[in-house]
Amino acid sequence: MLSAFVARPLVEVRQRDKSKIESILAHGDRLFVGLNTGSLRIYRVNEVQEDGGKQNGVEGKPASRPGSATTTRPVDLLREVEKFAPKSIEQLAIIREASVLISLSNYVVSIHDLESYGLQEQLSKNATTFAVTSDIVKDSTTGILDIVSKLAVAVKRKLLLWSWNESELSPDVTEITLPASIRTLTWSSATKIICGMTSGYVIVDVISQEVEDIVGPGAIGGAPGSEGGRFGGVGSASMGYMGLGGYTPRPLIARLGEGEMLLAKDINSLFVDSDGKPLEKRQVPWQQAPESIGYSYPYLVSLQSGSKGNLEVRNPETLSLLQTIPLPNASQLHSPPPTVSLSHAGKGFHVSSDRCIWRMAATDYDAQIDQLVEGGRYDESISLLNMLEDALVQNKEDRIREIKMNKAQLLFDQRRYRQALDLFTEVKAPPERVIKLYPKLIAGDLASLPDDRESHGMSAEGTKGDDHGESVVTSDAPEEISSKPAALGKLLVQHKKAPSVDAGSIRSKKGEVGDASDTASIIGKPVEDAPLEGKDLTNAVLELNAFLVDTRTRLQRFLDPTTGKLRAIDANGQNGSSKESFQSLLVAPSSEEDIGREQELVETAKLVDTTLFRAYMFARPSLAGALFRIPNFCDPDTVNEKLLANSRYNDLVDFFHGKKLHRPALELLRKFGEADETDETAPMLRGPQRTVGYLQNLPPDKIDLILEFARWPLQVNPDLGMEIFLADTENAEKLPRDRVVAFLEDIDQNLAGRYLEHLVNELDDSTPEFHNRLVCGYIKELRDRDDTSSDGWQEKMERLRALLRSSKRYSLRRAFDLIPKDDAKFYEAQAIVLSNMGSHQQALMVYVFKLKDFDKAEEYCNHVHLMQESPVSSPIPSHRTRNSEPDDAPPSIYHILLSLYLTPPPPYQPSWPPALSLLSKHGSRLPADSTLKLMPSTLPVAELESYFQGRIRAANSIVNESRVVAGLRKSEVVRAQAMLLLGDGLPGEAGGRNRRVVVGEERVCGVCHKRLGRSVVAVLPDNAVVHYGCLSRVGSQKGGPGTGGMESLRRAHNNWGH
């Protein structure tokens, strides 16, 4: 059991001394002892060397008596005050601020001087008990803090109150009457006191004098109909015994931590706050009614009655019995009040019998924690650490975390996987420590023992049998080495204390269990020896998945899963991204900051993801694919082996893609894509579809790999294979186009042509080489094909013509040389190239003499005319220009066509019908002088009627248009004059030159800023008034060209016009 306190005898009344100890009081290094004879003995307590303060009392044996083992006596008798009281001294207390000693003897409360111990005053008679308190109180009027001490005295049913202000006893006495006789008093706060009575407990507010019942179970008392004893029956408080007069137990009260009180009567107990409100805590499991209760930080202590008294030490949170100290005939328990004692500093408390006084010295808190852990009482050690202040133990947070991990490991060994993994997740345990608990099937090389380990137990090496036949680990190896999977036998883990990390000092083994088990103890369930397999292994792996996913999420706060680089660590610990959280993820935290952190985290991430993959493949194979579709750190060899063994080829491809292992993935796709249809190994991977989709997702810098593995899809299914290069994706558009063209030309010229068409027509690539290759490819294909009448050939010819018309990037001379000159099917293409070369006459000769298509010749002229005609803002200048062309102007395109019609080169004959049609349609665009010179003298004038009509209509149109424009300009002048003179169209009634401007005496010039007075002024269009002499500076001052006032007027006029 735990050794929280060591009983050290201080005072022993000799056998020949008939005196008996009735009361004790510890104050500083003084110990006051009240005797049954009315004498008061004052001892000085000496500091005795106590072997490091970690010596335990011997269980089952009485505490040793003071002897000559040490050179220094524990106490020295300083003084004995005889006749201090007329009879037995039942109770003692000190009010240090007033320097008084208070005693209760013969039902009288007396005040004595603390220095001389002389009687100063007797306060009351018929008193049964009293209680004192000293608190710092702020004065309501002055606001000054002062120490106020209060004394509460119980006189039957009355509660009498005295107070000391500034070390002076106040003459005012407060009297409060309660419903029953008072047997116990304890202050719960500076203004409230709890009174224990025969019928129950009440809490009294000494300021307002309000009395409130405290409702509790069984003998505690409370409202009618409340529950009975702790076990559903009546307690001994309700029982009488014939001849004993119906004895009832004494109500007990103890002040625990801040704001918490414990009420006890018989075996019933109740925890309340400082206001008397019950707390949600179960009762203390006492086997018999305690004689006295108290609190010594951080434990609840109780003194059990009987001839062989026992002091029980309990955890006030879990209420578990931690230590039992035998103290013969002990009857009193003295704990200094929390307000005046720093018990956690090692002052302890005192226990006395009628002949002996023991000092209960607290042992080292770190040693106590180690004892609890060694005994396997992890809940108790965690609870104790939570109650202790940080300064009292070393590395408190680290120790709590380590103990919780030990508890989780024990839970795991007991097949309580969910609780174990939840606890591992709560403390953010290192993943390696958790994964080690699993067999090699899940943990891989990290597993401590092989899977075929026999279930008959551990190896004899490093173990020994205890008295109960249980094996206990005796190796001094660190925890990381000694921890074994639960599937391979009962494991009792022992942690070697490391000098650098105090948390590593915790050692755990399966120890003996005391009389009372841990409150939330998991020791009661034995560790199973059966191998971890079957349903147990499945359940354990399912719980492991949640832990690994949580660890993976925490890893991503520090490590970028895409790049594998370390993120910046937030020094303030925002959102959990603190340095401590970072270190908790490492398998072995680095001793040097910022050295190897990234590599350590990558190794941890690799371990977590690879183990998560194994767990998925074992328990939830359908989830493995989702892991591969996100960035991960899985080990490729492990994944490859597992997926191939389970024929999960589709998932393997996804994994290779995520790990950027593209060559193995493409080789696997080619292997199954080229497989025979009768092969049912991987039907989803058969054919080139998956390969094409995979290649489409590769970046352009993988062009070598793309071209290597794109060949077989192009050979099997060219249309599908071309989607690698023709898809509307960013990767396809950014591929090196020259390499793709060369690659496709090596396979099939048609495929290269399709890719060139995609580049030129859809991607608008302006590279001349691609345009030349496409033109040459079209011409070569059309020239080599024999099915010139087929629709495919005609469609290809239309593509060639469209390309020749629209593209300006190909070589005209090269294209002209490639086009057959004597093939009638290429005449139009030849004409298009000649047109682009600027040889319009030769192009028209092709249309007129070779194709004999006069409509296309006229259409060609219209197109050229529109391209040559420059855009003008008004049609009037255009008509005037064409009506009188200069003599040196080049002939129009229509004139060239007309000359070919009328004066063709030999051996062609003139074509009069198309010539006359051209004159009738486009006569206005043919000047009369040059046109009539082409007409033969034998041509009747009547044939030129349509030409002359067109020319006359064009001239009339120009004249009429000029007249309309002149009329519009006159209207504009009238409107401008009306605006200038009358202000028509301007806002306001008065405008223009008829407007009026008021010039007052205080108005100044806007240019020189002098008063206008009676000077000659000028009014600007914006109604600004300036000196007439300053008018010339208005334009320059406003940033204008400096042309004077008239320029300003003109600008204002233009503004009005808009």
Side-chain angles (χ1 to χ4, degrees):
M1 296 184 69
L2 176 66
S3 294
F5 297 97
V6 178
R8 301 192 181 280
L10 295 181
V11 178
E12 182 179 8
V13 180
R14 297 178 181 181
Q15 293 294 334
R16 64 175 179 269
D17 192 345
K18 301 303 181 181
S19 301
K20 294 184 179 180
I21 299 173
E22 293 292 337
S23 60
I24 59 175
L25 172 64
H27 179 70
D29 63 346
R30 298 293 188 267
L31 180 63
F32 299 87
V33 180
L35 305 179
N36 63 340
T37 60
S39 298
L40 177 67
R41 293 178 181 176
I42 299 95
Y43 294 91
R44 181 181 64 221
V45 181
N46 300 319
E47 294 296 333
V48 182
Q49 190 66 25
E50 298 179 351
D51 298 335
K54 295 185 179 182
Q55 180 180 352
N56 296 336
V58 181
E59 295 187 17
K61 297 181 181 181
S64 62
R65 299 177 181 272
S68 60
T70 59
T71 58
T72 303
R73 293 192 300 177
V75 294
D76 292 325
L77 179 61
L78 299 180
R79 182 178 178 183
E80 181 174 358
V81 182
E82 298 181 354
K83 298 182 180 181
F84 178 81
K87 290 187 178 181
S88 172
I89 304 174
E90 301 175 6
Q91 190 175 355
L92 292 171
I94 285 179
I95 299 180
R96 184 179 59 181
E97 292 73 23
S99 188
V100 295
L101 175 65
I102 303 176
S103 65
L104 173 62
S105 176
N106 195 25
Y107 302 103
V108 177
V109 176
S110 305
I111 300 178
H112 305 263
D113 182 75
L114 188 57
E115 298 296 332
S116 63
Y117 307 106
L119 180 63
Q120 291 183 349
E121 184 179 357
Q122 291 184 345
L123 296 181
S124 65
K125 297 182 180 180
N126 298 324
T128 55
T129 184
F130 67 86
V132 298
T133 183
S134 297
D135 302 280
I136 299 177
V137 179
K138 183 177 182 180
D139 191 280
S140 58
T141 57
T142 62
I144 299 176
L145 297 178
D146 191 14
I147 299 178
V148 177
S149 301
K150 297 184 180 67
L151 169 64
V153 180
V155 181
K156 296 183 179 180
R157 294 175 53 192
K158 294 181 180 180
L159 179 64
L160 305 180
L161 300 169
W162 286 266
S163 63
W164 279 261
N165 292 319
E166 298 181 356
S167 303
E168 296 294 333
L169 179 61
S170 175
D172 298 330
V173 180
T174 304
E175 180 178 327
I176 303 173
T177 303
L178 301 183
S181 298
I182 304 172
R183 301 185 63 184
T184 309
L185 291 175
T186 300
W187 289 92
S188 63
S189 65
T191 60
K192 292 186 178 181
I193 187 171
I194 296 180
C195 305
M197 304 176 295
T198 305
S199 59
Y201 293 85
V202 296
I203 184 169
V204 180
D205 190 328
V206 298
I207 304 299
S208 62
Q209 300 187 11
E210 293 182 357
V211 180
E212 183 179 353
D213 292 331
I214 297 178
V215 179
I220 297 296
S226 59
E227 65 180 51
R230 176 155 50 91
F231 302 105
V234 294
S236 61
S238 59
M239 298 183 193
Y241 188 80
M242 185 178 299
L244 294 182
Y247 167 77
T248 57
R250 178 170 172 262
L252 304 177
I253 308 173
R255 185 171 179 178
L256 306 181
E258 185 66 26
E260 187 175 358
M261 308 286 292
L262 173 63
L263 312 181
K265 194 172 185 182
D266 194 16
I267 60 172
N268 297 287
S269 61
L270 176 67
F271 289 90
V272 297
D273 58 14
S274 59
D275 295 327
K277 304 300 181 183
L279 301 177
E280 294 294 333
K281 295 181 68 173
R282 64 188 183 94
Q283 297 191 48
V284 181
W286 282 310
Q287 298 300 321
Q288 57 182 349
E291 185 72 19
S292 179
I293 60 175
Y295 176 76
S296 181
Y297 181 91
Y299 297 107
L300 169 65
V301 294
S302 61
L303 191 60
Q304 300 294 334
S305 61
S307 60
K308 185 179 180 181
N310 290 324
L311 180 69
E312 293 184 354
V313 181
R314 295 180 181 269
N315 186 326
E317 296 293 334
T318 64
L319 305 181
S320 300
L321 179 61
L322 301 179
Q323 183 182 10
T324 301
I325 303 176
L327 299 174
N329 301 316
S331 59
Q332 292 188 47
L333 175 64
H334 173 69
S335 298
T339 55
V340 297
S341 174
L342 297 177
S343 56
H344 62 266
K347 294 190 177 182
F349 61 98
H350 297 79
V351 179
S352 68
S353 65
D354 56 355
R355 309 293 295 178
C356 186
I357 300 176
W358 294 272
R359 179 182 180 183
M360 310 307 298
T363 60
D364 182 67
Y365 290 122
D366 291 306
Q368 296 180 31
I369 300 297
D370 291 341
Q371 287 182 8
L372 290 173
V373 173
E374 289 174 2
R377 308 191 72 174
Y378 301 123
D379 287 334
E380 295 298 337
S381 58
I382 294 171
S383 175
L384 178 58
L385 280 169
N386 288 328
M387 289 188 296
L388 291 174
E389 298 177 3
D390 295 348
L392 301 180
V393 290
Q394 300 180 5
N395 301 327
K396 176 179 176 179
E397 296 299 329
D398 292 340
R399 301 193 71 174
I400 291 177
R401 179 170 178 260
E402 181 68 22
I403 294 171
K404 286 185 177 180
M405 287 191 287
N406 290 340
K407 177 185 175 182
Q409 186 167 337
L410 183 57
L411 286 169
F412 190 92
D413 294 342
Q414 294 176 348
R415 302 293 193 263
R416 299 165 68 177
Y417 305 115
R418 172 164 295 184
Q419 296 92 322
L421 272 299
D422 287 346
L423 193 54
F424 277 129
T425 303
E426 176 188 343
V427 300
K428 301 178 181 178
E432 181 193 47
R433 181 166 183 172
V434 180
I435 295 171
K436 276 185 176 181
L437 300 175
Y438 287 81
K440 190 173 183 179
L441 177 65
I442 303 299
D445 296 337
L446 196 62
S448 301
L449 297 176
D451 284 344
D452 56 354
R453 171 72 179 233
E454 296 181 0
S455 60
H456 62 269
M458 295 180 59
S459 173
E461 182 180 356
T463 62
K464 65 180 181 179
D466 62 2
D467 296 338
H468 303 284
E470 297 177 348
S471 62
V472 181
V473 177
T474 60
S475 173
D476 290 334
E479 184 275 341
E480 287 80 0
I481 299 176
S482 63
S483 60
K484 308 297 180 184
L488 306 173
K490 181 187 303 183
L491 303 177
L492 305 173
V493 182
Q494 184 177 21
H495 301 279
K496 184 178 181 181
K497 184 173 183 180
S500 58
V501 182
D502 189 75
S505 65
I506 301 172
R507 306 171 62 89
S508 63
K509 67 178 182 178
K510 184 177 180 181
E512 63 276 12
V513 181
D515 296 337
S517 61
D518 213 350
T519 302
S521 178
I522 37 81
I523 296 179
K525 187 174 181 179
V527 179
E528 299 186 12
D529 293 336
L532 186 58
E533 59 186 8
K535 186 176 180 180
D536 283 340
L537 180 58
T538 302
N539 294 334
V541 171
L542 289 176
E543 300 301 331
L544 177 66
N545 291 345
F547 170 80
L548 294 176
V549 170
D550 178 79
T551 304
R552 194 174 190 276
T553 303
R554 290 191 292 121
L555 273 168
Q556 293 179 2
R557 300 175 186 171
F558 309 97
L559 193 66
D560 190 343
T562 304
T563 62
K565 299 298 182 181
L566 191 65
R567 301 181 190 267
I569 300 179
D570 187 358
N572 296 326
Q574 298 290 336
N575 299 324
S577 300
S578 62
K579 181 178 178 181
E580 290 75 11
S581 299
F582 173 84
Q583 292 289 351
S584 69
L585 292 167
L586 300 180
V587 173
S590 176
S591 59
E592 298 183 17
E593 191 174 2
D594 295 333
I595 297 179
R597 288 180 179 272
E598 181 177 311
Q599 184 62 30
E600 291 174 354
L601 270 187
V602 169
E603 292 297 328
T604 303
K606 183 177 179 180
L607 172 64
V608 170
D609 285 358
T610 304
T611 307
L612 182 61
F613 161 72
R614 293 194 186 101
Y616 279 159
M617 290 299 297
F618 178 80
R620 292 288 186 269
S622 60
L623 298 179
L627 179 63
F628 303 146
R629 298 184 185 95
I630 58 177
N632 60 82
F633 293 91
C634 293
D635 179 48
D637 295 336
T638 302
V639 175
N640 189 23
E641 178 184 355
K642 282 283 185 181
L643 293 181
L644 287 178
N646 291 272
S647 300
R648 299 285 296 273
Y649 305 109
N650 196 32
D651 291 337
L652 184 58
V653 171
D654 292 337
F655 171 74
F656 283 147
H657 181 269
K659 302 297 289 184
K660 295 182 172 34
L661 300 174
H662 303 302
R663 180 172 292 278
L666 290 170
E667 290 176 351
L668 188 66
L669 289 174
R670 180 168 60 184
K671 173 184 177 181
F672 291 104
E674 294 177 344
D676 190 8
E677 294 184 358
T678 59
D679 189 0
E680 298 296 334
T681 304
M684 296 181 62
L685 302 181
R686 191 179 303 127
Q689 290 85 357
R690 283 298 306 274
T691 301
V692 171
Y694 194 100
L695 293 174
Q696 285 178 336
N697 291 323
L698 291 182
D701 57 349
K702 301 294 182 182
I703 182 62
D704 295 332
L705 206 62
I706 294 173
L707 298 182
E708 178 182 352
F709 288 93
R711 185 177 294 273
W712 79 268
L714 289 171
Q715 294 173 350
V716 174
N717 190 340
D719 293 335
L720 181 61
M722 283 301 295
E723 290 299 319
I724 302 172
F725 311 106
L726 304 182
D728 187 14
T729 61
E730 183 178 0
N731 289 338
E733 293 180 4
K734 291 186 177 181
L735 290 174
R737 298 173 181 178
D738 53 344
R739 296 193 57 183
V740 175
V741 171
F743 168 75
L744 293 176
E745 285 179 346
D746 184 59
I747 298 177
D748 190 349
Q749 288 292 338
N750 292 329
L751 299 180
R754 290 179 58 184
Y755 183 69
L756 289 171
E757 287 179 352
H758 175 72
L759 295 180
V760 173
N761 299 330
E762 297 185 17
L763 301 183
D764 295 329
D765 194 312
S766 59
T767 305
E769 181 63 24
F770 296 154
H771 289 253
N772 288 328
R773 285 192 177 188
L774 183 58
V775 171
C776 295
Y778 280 156
I779 295 175
K780 183 178 179 181
E781 181 182 358
L782 291 171
R783 191 172 53 190
D784 295 342
R785 290 177 61 175
D786 297 332
D787 54 338
T788 56
S789 59
S790 64
D791 295 339
W793 193 94
Q794 295 295 335
E795 181 183 359
K796 185 70 69 174
M797 177 58 74
E798 287 298 327
R799 292 182 185 177
L800 173 61
R801 293 169 184 169
L803 177 62
L804 293 175
R805 290 192 187 97
S806 60
S807 176
K808 304 299 180 184
R809 297 293 179 179
Y810 64 92
S811 174
L812 297 175
R813 177 57 58 184
R814 183 178 177 183
F816 184 76
D817 294 340
L818 290 174
I819 295 176
K821 304 299 186 296
D822 300 330
D823 193 341
K825 298 181 179 60
F826 289 90
Y827 283 161
E828 187 172 355
Q830 184 180 359
I832 295 173
V833 175
L834 290 171
S835 173
N836 292 336
M837 297 173 66
S839 302
H840 300 300
Q841 184 173 1
Q842 295 180 11
L844 288 173
M845 289 178 66
V846 173
Y847 284 115
V848 174
F849 301 122
K850 291 184 177 181
L851 291 175
K852 298 186 183 301
D853 193 338
F854 304 118
D855 293 336
K856 286 189 176 182
E858 183 178 351
E859 182 181 352
Y860 175 79
C861 291
N862 294 335
H863 175 72
V864 174
H865 174 74
L866 294 175
M867 295 296 295
Q868 292 178 347
E869 186 181 35
S870 58
V872 293
S873 59
S874 174
I876 301 173
S878 174
H879 287 291
R880 289 177 179 176
T881 302
R882 286 174 175 78
N883 193 35
S884 56
E885 293 182 354
D887 296 337
D888 57 349
S892 66
I893 188 64
Y894 296 103
H895 186 273
I896 296 174
L897 180 59
L898 182 62
S899 63
L900 291 177
Y901 284 154
L902 298 179
T903 58
Y908 302 106
Q909 299 296 325
S911 301
W912 291 103
L916 295 176
S917 175
L918 181 65
L919 289 172
S920 63
K921 294 180 180 179
H922 304 283
S924 60
R925 297 170 179 169
L926 292 170
D929 52 353
S930 60
T931 301
L932 293 177
K933 289 179 181 179
L934 295 176
M935 300 300 171
S937 57
T938 58
L939 180 65
V941 178
E943 298 292 337
L944 298 176
E945 179 182 2
S946 59
Y947 168 70
F948 289 118
Q949 287 179 353
R951 294 292 302 175
I952 293 171
R953 289 193 186 98
N956 291 337
S957 297
I958 293 174
V959 173
N960 293 335
E961 186 176 0
S962 301
R963 291 174 180 174
V964 172
V965 171
L968 292 175
R969 287 179 175 173
K970 289 180 181 180
S971 300
E972 178 68 15
V973 171
V974 173
R975 187 185 68 82
Q977 290 176 348
M979 183 182 297
L980 178 61
L981 298 175
L982 304 176
D984 292 346
L986 295 177
E989 298 180 354
R993 293 180 177 176
N994 291 335
R995 67 187 186 281
R996 292 179 294 276
V997 179
V998 178
V999 179
E1001 294 181 357
E1002 301 298 329
R1003 191 160 186 174
V1004 298
C1005 175
V1007 177
C1008 65
H1009 303 291
K1010 296 180 181 179
R1011 286 199 307 171
L1012 296 174
R1014 297 181 179 273
S1015 303
V1016 180
V1017 297
V1019 181
L1020 299 180
D1022 58 354
N1023 289 340
V1025 182
V1026 299
H1027 290 110
Y1028 186 77
C1030 299
L1031 184 61
S1032 59
R1033 291 186 291 166
V1034 172
S1036 60
Q1037 182 174 352
K1038 294 187 177 181
T1043 55
M1046 296 305 296
E1047 181 63 26
S1048 300
L1049 292 174
R1050 281 192 290 271
R1051 285 200 305 271
H1053 172 69
N1054 293 335
N1055 292 336
W1056 285 343
H1058 293 289

